[in-house]
């Protein structure tokens, strides 16, 4: 079984992945790219191309899996060939994105509305020789509004030799709220003819242990928000140390520098960093043990770079890591 970092649109771009791997790559086997939008005229959105360029993924030992967003067999076949020609031997199809603008185009989890259409798409895709030359996986939700929709979706997926089907056991309308439907996931785990992966609500090592204890034959565990909220989570899962304040400071400092490679404007970088602070702020308490939220709030509401940097300095000065007895390392 392998551990992977889920794609998160707007967050886990190559700048983030390279920085994360430098500090916290231990315990992770692969990083997925945020989805690459495939156009009908057979091209990938220019902005998305940054994610697969060799020079952007040259960090020692970092291995990535491109994820594509497409809902047409010709588009998928073209993308599989295009990426394979550029050295990728595993590609993932996004069938789970719940964002409205994606679903309205019948992409992402919008693909789940019509199992017959899925059968038509994959019948053509798996007729192409490219599927014998690469690992082709799919990441999916249980359906659009009702988890029992998967009872009609899984039989379609079972007709084709996917390298793995990675299941986020929520429906589209839940977005990322509510609890995963583990009863339906167990049904899928028991009835899938393809290897099964799991994604969803892994925030602490105990969450991970519960999954592997209940589903010992999983192909993969994919972690997303939990890893952004605690970048050292994968290391902790394999028995490594918790993150220190010095590590967090180094990670966030390097991350800001690396974002500047892709995002020249300081104001834009500030907004990107605010989003990361929204997640990692949960790791901190004040040195006297109080909640850190008032200090994190000042970061998130900073109106300019000077306010932002001052708020960050205050956090490093006034806070400690939870559970670390107020030590910085």
């Amino acid at each position: 079984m392998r551990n992977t970092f889920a794609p998160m649109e707007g967050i886990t771009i190559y700048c983030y992945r390279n920085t994360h791997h430098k500090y916290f790559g231990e315990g992770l086997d692969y990083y997925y790219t945020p989805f690459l939008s495939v156009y009908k005229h057979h091209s990938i959105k220019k902005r998305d191309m940054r994610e697969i360029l060799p020079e952007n993924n040259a960090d020692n030992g970092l291995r990535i899996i491109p994820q594509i967003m497409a809902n047409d067999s010709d588009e998928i076949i073209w993308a599989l060939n295009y990426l394979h020609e550029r050295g990728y031997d595993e590609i993932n199809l996004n069938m789970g994105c719940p964002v409205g603008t994606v679903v309205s185009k019948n992409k992402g989890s919008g693909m789940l509305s019509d199992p017959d259409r899925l059968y038509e798409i994959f019948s053509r895709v798996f007729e192409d020789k490219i599927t014998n030359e690469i690992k082709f996986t799919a990441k999916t939700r249980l359906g659009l509004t009702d988890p029992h929709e998967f009872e009609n979706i899984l039989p379609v997926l079972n007709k084709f030799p996917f390298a793995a089907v990675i299941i986020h056991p929520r429906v589209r309308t839940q977005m990322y709220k509510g609890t995963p439907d583990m009863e339906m996931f167990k049904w899928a785990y028991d009835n899938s003819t393809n290897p099964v992966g799991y994604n969803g609500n892994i925030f602490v090592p105990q969450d991970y242990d519960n999954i592997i204890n209940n589903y010992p034959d999983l192909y993969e565990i994919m972690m997303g928000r939990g890893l952004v909220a605690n970048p050292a989570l994968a290391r902790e899962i394999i028995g490594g140390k918790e993150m220190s304040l010095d590590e967090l400071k180094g990670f966030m400092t390097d991350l800001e520098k690396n974002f500047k490679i892709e995002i020249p404007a300081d104001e834009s970088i500030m907004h990107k960093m605010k989003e990361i602070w929204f997640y990692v702020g949960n790791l901190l308490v004040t040195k006297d043990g109080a909640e850190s939220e008032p200090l994190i709030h000042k970061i998130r509401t900073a109106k300019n770079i000077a306010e932002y940097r001052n708020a960050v300095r205050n956090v490093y000065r006034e806070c400690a890591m939870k559970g670390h007895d107020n030590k910085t390392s």
Side-chain angles (χ1 to χ4, degrees), residues 12 34 249 264 320:
T12 59
K249 184 176 180 179

Side-chain angles (χ1 to χ4, degrees), residues 14 34 64 66 79 91 172 175 190 200 219 256 268 272 274 308:
Y14 73 90
I64 69 168
I91 296 110
R172 182 260 162 172
M175 302 296 284
D190 291 339
Y219 175 83
E256 184 173 344
S268 298
K272 186 70 66 177
K274 284 182 178 183
Y308 169 78

Side-chain angles (χ1 to χ4, degrees), residues 68-252:
I68 60 173
M69 176 77 79
N71 67 352
D72 175 87
S73 55
D74 288 341
E75 295 171 18
I76 294 171
I77 292 168
W78 174 84
L80 298 184
N81 279 280
Y82 181 85
L83 292 167
H84 185 49
E85 289 167 2
R86 280 148 185 80
Y88 295 102
D89 59 7
E90 179 171 348
I91 296 110
N92 178 259
L93 175 67
N94 184 318
M95 293 170 48
C97 179
V99 176
T101 53
V102 170
V103 174
S104 66
K105 299 174 184 175
N106 295 317
K107 294 183 176 182
S109 58
M111 295 181 71
L112 305 177
S113 64
D114 188 347
D116 291 337
R117 171 68 174 149
L118 281 183
Y119 179 79
E120 293 174 7
I121 291 171
F122 294 133
S123 291
R124 291 199 59 196
V125 169
F126 281 95
E127 284 176 354
D128 195 279
K129 65 180 182 179
I130 188 61
T131 55
N132 296 320
E133 299 172 5
I134 63 164
K135 293 181 179 179
F136 181 41
T137 66
K139 180 175 184 284
T140 183
R141 288 185 174 233
L142 297 177
L144 292 177
T145 61
D146 185 340
H148 290 280
E149 292 172 38
F150 208 63
E151 293 170 355
N152 295 317
I153 295 166
L154 184 64
V156 173
L157 302 180
N158 280 347
K159 294 180 185 296
F160 304 100
F162 286 94
V165 174
I166 303 156
I167 302 170
H168 181 123
R170 286 184 172 94
V171 293
R172 182 260 162 172
T173 50
Q174 285 181 280
M175 302 296 284
Y176 298 97
K177 297 177 181 179
T179 57
D181 190 325
M182 299 312 296
E183 181 178 341
M184 186 54 66
F185 179 79
K186 184 179 187 308
W187 176 85
Y189 175 81
D190 291 339
N191 289 279
S192 177
T193 59
N194 293 304
V196 172
Y198 174 83
N199 169 240
N201 280 37
I202 295 179
F203 295 105
V204 296
Q206 185 59 47
D207 297 332
Y208 180 95
D209 292 342
N210 289 339
I211 294 297
I212 62 171
N213 288 337
N214 288 318
Y215 311 99
D217 295 324
L218 284 173
Y219 175 83
E220 169 178 339
I221 291 188
M222 179 189 282
M223 295 170 279
R225 291 173 299 148
L227 265 173
V228 177
N230 176 8
L233 177 60
R235 184 174 74 189
E236 291 181 30
I237 283 170
I238 63 170
K241 64 179 181 178
E242 296 178 345
M243 187 194 307
S244 70
L245 185 60
D246 287 341
E247 280 185 305
L248 177 62
K249 184 176 180 179
F251 172 69
M252 295 296 278

